[in-house]
Protein backbone atom coordinates (compact mmCIF):
# COMPACT_ATOMS: atom_id res chain seq x y z
CA UNK A 1 0.00 0.00 0.00
CA UNK A 2 2.91 2.38 0.70
CA UNK A 3 4.13 1.88 -2.85
CA UNK A 4 0.70 2.62 -4.28
CA UNK A 5 0.37 5.77 -2.14
CA UNK A 6 3.82 6.96 -3.19
CA UNK A 7 2.98 6.47 -6.85
CA UNK A 8 -0.35 8.30 -6.41
CA UNK A 9 1.47 11.22 -4.78
CA UNK A 10 4.03 11.27 -7.59
CA UNK A 11 1.39 11.24 -10.29
CA UNK A 12 -0.62 14.02 -8.66
CA UNK A 13 2.53 16.14 -8.33
CA UNK A 14 3.53 15.35 -11.90
CA UNK A 15 0.15 16.49 -13.25
CA UNK A 16 0.32 19.79 -11.35
CA UNK A 17 3.94 20.50 -12.33
CA UNK A 18 3.36 19.56 -15.97
CA UNK A 19 0.27 21.80 -16.15
CA UNK A 20 2.24 24.61 -14.56
CA UNK A 21 5.11 24.23 -17.04
CA UNK A 22 2.74 24.10 -20.02
CA UNK A 23 1.00 27.30 -18.92
CA UNK A 24 4.38 29.04 -18.66
CA UNK A 25 5.50 27.72 -22.05
CA UNK A 26 2.33 29.15 -23.63
CA UNK A 27 3.28 32.64 -22.45
CA UNK A 28 6.97 32.68 -21.52
CA UNK A 29 7.31 36.47 -21.74
CA UNK A 30 4.42 36.87 -19.31
CA UNK A 31 6.09 34.45 -16.89
CA UNK A 32 9.37 36.37 -17.16
CA UNK A 33 7.47 39.57 -16.27
CA UNK A 34 5.79 37.82 -13.35
CA UNK A 35 9.15 36.61 -12.01
CA UNK A 36 10.57 40.14 -12.31
CA UNK A 37 7.61 41.64 -10.43
CA UNK A 38 8.61 39.72 -7.29
CA UNK A 39 11.69 41.99 -7.17
CA UNK A 40 13.84 39.26 -5.67
CA UNK A 41 16.39 38.95 -8.47
CA UNK A 42 18.56 41.46 -10.30
CA UNK A 43 17.21 42.32 -13.79
CA UNK A 44 19.80 40.35 -15.81
CA UNK A 45 19.03 37.17 -13.83
CA UNK A 46 15.24 37.21 -14.28
CA UNK A 47 15.11 35.65 -17.78
CA UNK A 48 17.51 32.78 -16.98
CA UNK A 49 15.76 32.18 -13.64
CA UNK A 50 12.36 31.97 -15.34
CA UNK A 51 13.80 29.50 -17.85
CA UNK A 52 15.29 27.40 -15.06
CA UNK A 53 11.92 27.26 -13.28
CA UNK A 54 10.16 26.02 -16.41
CA UNK A 55 12.86 23.43 -17.12
CA UNK A 56 12.84 22.30 -13.49
CA UNK A 57 9.06 21.82 -13.58
CA UNK A 58 9.29 19.71 -16.75
CA UNK A 59 12.19 17.66 -15.37
CA UNK A 60 10.47 17.17 -12.01
CA UNK A 61 7.25 16.01 -13.70
CA UNK A 62 9.18 13.55 -15.87
CA UNK A 63 11.18 12.24 -12.92
CA UNK A 64 7.99 11.80 -10.91
CA UNK A 65 6.31 9.86 -13.71
CA UNK A 66 9.23 7.46 -14.21
CA UNK A 67 9.62 6.97 -10.47
CA UNK A 68 13.09 8.45 -10.06
CA UNK A 69 13.80 9.28 -6.40
CA UNK A 70 14.94 12.79 -7.33
CA UNK A 71 11.47 13.71 -8.63
CA UNK A 72 9.85 14.43 -5.25
CA UNK A 73 12.98 16.25 -4.09
CA UNK A 74 12.99 18.57 -7.10
CA UNK A 75 9.24 19.15 -6.62
CA UNK A 76 9.82 19.98 -2.95
CA UNK A 77 12.61 22.44 -3.76
CA UNK A 78 10.42 24.15 -6.39
CA UNK A 79 7.55 24.52 -3.93
CA UNK A 80 9.82 25.82 -1.16
CA UNK A 81 11.31 28.46 -3.47
CA UNK A 82 7.87 29.50 -4.69
CA UNK A 83 6.47 29.60 -1.14
CA UNK A 84 9.36 31.85 -0.11
CA UNK A 85 8.71 34.16 -3.07
CA UNK A 86 4.96 34.37 -2.40
CA UNK A 87 5.54 34.86 1.33
CA UNK A 88 8.05 37.60 0.62
CA UNK A 89 5.65 39.37 -1.74
CA UNK A 90 2.86 39.16 0.84
CA UNK A 91 5.12 40.48 3.59
CA UNK A 92 6.12 43.42 1.39
CA UNK A 93 2.50 44.15 0.44
CA UNK A 94 3.06 43.58 -3.29
CA UNK A 95 -0.13 43.26 -5.36
CA UNK A 96 1.40 41.32 -8.24
CA UNK A 97 0.37 38.31 -10.33
CA UNK A 98 1.54 35.15 -8.63
CA UNK A 99 2.59 33.57 -11.94
CA UNK A 100 0.41 30.55 -11.20
CA UNK A 101 -0.70 28.62 -14.26
CA UNK A 102 -0.67 31.69 -16.49
CA UNK A 103 -3.68 33.22 -14.77
CA UNK A 104 -4.32 36.66 -13.35
CA UNK A 105 -4.44 35.60 -9.70
CA UNK A 106 -2.45 37.93 -7.47
CA UNK A 107 -0.24 36.77 -4.63
CA UNK A 108 -2.46 35.97 -1.68
CA UNK A 109 -2.74 33.75 1.33
CA UNK A 110 -4.77 31.43 -0.87
CA UNK A 111 -1.84 31.07 -3.28
CA UNK A 112 0.43 30.42 -0.29
CA UNK A 113 -1.94 27.72 0.99
CA UNK A 114 -2.00 26.12 -2.47
CA UNK A 115 1.78 25.99 -2.69
CA UNK A 116 1.86 24.71 0.89
CA UNK A 117 -0.44 21.83 -0.03
CA UNK A 118 1.72 21.05 -3.02
CA UNK A 119 4.85 21.24 -0.87
CA UNK A 120 3.30 18.96 1.74
CA UNK A 121 2.48 16.44 -0.96
CA UNK A 122 6.06 16.61 -2.22
CA UNK A 123 7.43 16.23 1.32
CA UNK A 124 5.25 13.18 1.91
CA UNK A 125 6.50 11.68 -1.37
CA UNK A 126 10.10 12.37 -0.27
CA UNK A 127 9.51 10.74 3.12
CA UNK A 128 7.79 7.68 1.63
CA UNK A 129 10.35 7.32 -1.16
CA UNK A 130 13.41 5.69 0.45
CA UNK A 131 13.34 1.94 -0.05
CA UNK A 132 10.32 1.89 -2.36
CA UNK A 133 11.31 4.37 -5.05
CA UNK A 134 12.39 1.72 -7.55
CA UNK A 135 9.32 -0.50 -7.18
CA UNK A 136 6.08 -0.37 -9.13
CA UNK A 137 2.60 -1.80 -8.65
CA UNK A 138 0.48 -4.03 -10.79
CA UNK A 139 -3.03 -5.41 -11.04
CA UNK A 140 -5.71 -3.84 -8.90
CA UNK A 141 -3.15 -1.61 -7.18
CA UNK A 142 -3.01 0.33 -10.46
CA UNK A 143 -6.71 1.17 -10.11
CA UNK A 144 -6.08 2.29 -6.52
CA UNK A 145 -3.15 4.44 -7.66
CA UNK A 146 -5.16 6.18 -10.37
CA UNK A 147 -8.10 6.72 -8.01
CA UNK A 148 -5.86 8.04 -5.22
CA UNK A 149 -3.97 10.41 -7.55
CA UNK A 150 -7.25 11.78 -8.90
CA UNK A 151 -8.62 12.06 -5.38
CA UNK A 152 -5.56 14.00 -4.23
CA UNK A 153 -5.97 16.49 -7.07
CA UNK A 154 -9.69 16.90 -6.38
CA UNK A 155 -9.16 17.23 -2.60
CA UNK A 156 -6.53 19.91 -3.13
CA UNK A 157 -8.89 21.85 -5.37
CA UNK A 158 -11.78 21.49 -2.92
CA UNK A 159 -9.72 22.83 -0.03
CA UNK A 160 -9.07 25.95 -2.07
CA UNK A 161 -12.79 26.42 -2.64
CA UNK A 162 -13.65 26.61 1.09
CA UNK A 163 -13.43 30.45 1.20
CA UNK A 164 -15.74 30.70 -1.82
CA UNK A 165 -18.27 28.32 -0.26
CA UNK A 166 -18.22 30.23 3.03
CA UNK A 167 -18.63 33.53 1.17
CA UNK A 168 -21.63 32.12 -0.69
CA UNK A 169 -23.12 31.18 2.68
CA UNK A 170 -22.61 34.74 3.92
CA UNK A 171 -19.52 33.95 6.01
CA UNK A 172 -16.37 35.45 4.54
CA UNK A 173 -13.37 33.39 5.64
CA UNK A 174 -10.92 35.75 3.92
CA UNK A 175 -9.16 38.48 5.84
CA UNK A 176 -10.38 41.99 5.05
CA UNK A 177 -9.05 43.27 1.75
CA UNK A 178 -8.06 39.88 0.31
CA UNK A 179 -9.67 38.67 -2.89
CA UNK A 180 -10.43 35.10 -3.88
Amino acid sequence: MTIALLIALRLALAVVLAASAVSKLRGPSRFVRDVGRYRLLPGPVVVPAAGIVIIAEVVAAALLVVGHPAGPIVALVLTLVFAAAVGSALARGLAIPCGCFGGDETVSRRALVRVGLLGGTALLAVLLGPGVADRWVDGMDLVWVATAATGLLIAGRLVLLVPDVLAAMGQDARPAGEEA
Side-chain angles (χ1 to χ4, degrees), residues 13-156:
L13 284 167
V15 166
V16 171
L17 290 170
S20 179
V22 166
S23 72
K24 290 171 178 75
L25 288 169
R26 286 186 176 158
S29 60
R30 179 181 180 155
F31 180 61
V32 168
R33 277 193 311 277
D34 290 346
V35 170
R37 288 179 176 142
Y38 278 89
R39 296 186 283 184
L40 294 171
L41 302 170
V45 179
V46 170
V47 172
I52 288 169
V53 168
I54 296 169
I55 291 168
E57 286 179 339
V58 170
V59 168
L63 290 172
L64 287 160
V65 167
V66 300
H68 194 283
I73 295 168
V74 175
L76 181 59
V77 169
L78 282 166
T79 58
L80 289 173
V81 168
F82 187 49
V86 171
S88 171
L90 283 172
R92 292 179 289 145
L94 299 179
I96 59 171
C98 75
C100 309
F101 301 100
D104 293 326
E105 180 182 355
T106 59
V107 292
S108 63
R109 290 185 182 144
R110 185 178 188 169
L112 194 56
V113 167
R114 184 176 48 243
V115 75
L117 289 171
L118 192 60
T121 303
L123 178 60
L124 187 56
V126 168
L127 295 175
L128 289 176
V132 296
D134 58 345
R135 297 171 56 197
W136 196 249
V137 295
D138 56 18
M140 285 306 291
D141 280 344
L142 218 46
V143 172
W144 190 93
V145 165
T147 303
T150 303
L152 286 166
L153 292 168
I154 292 170

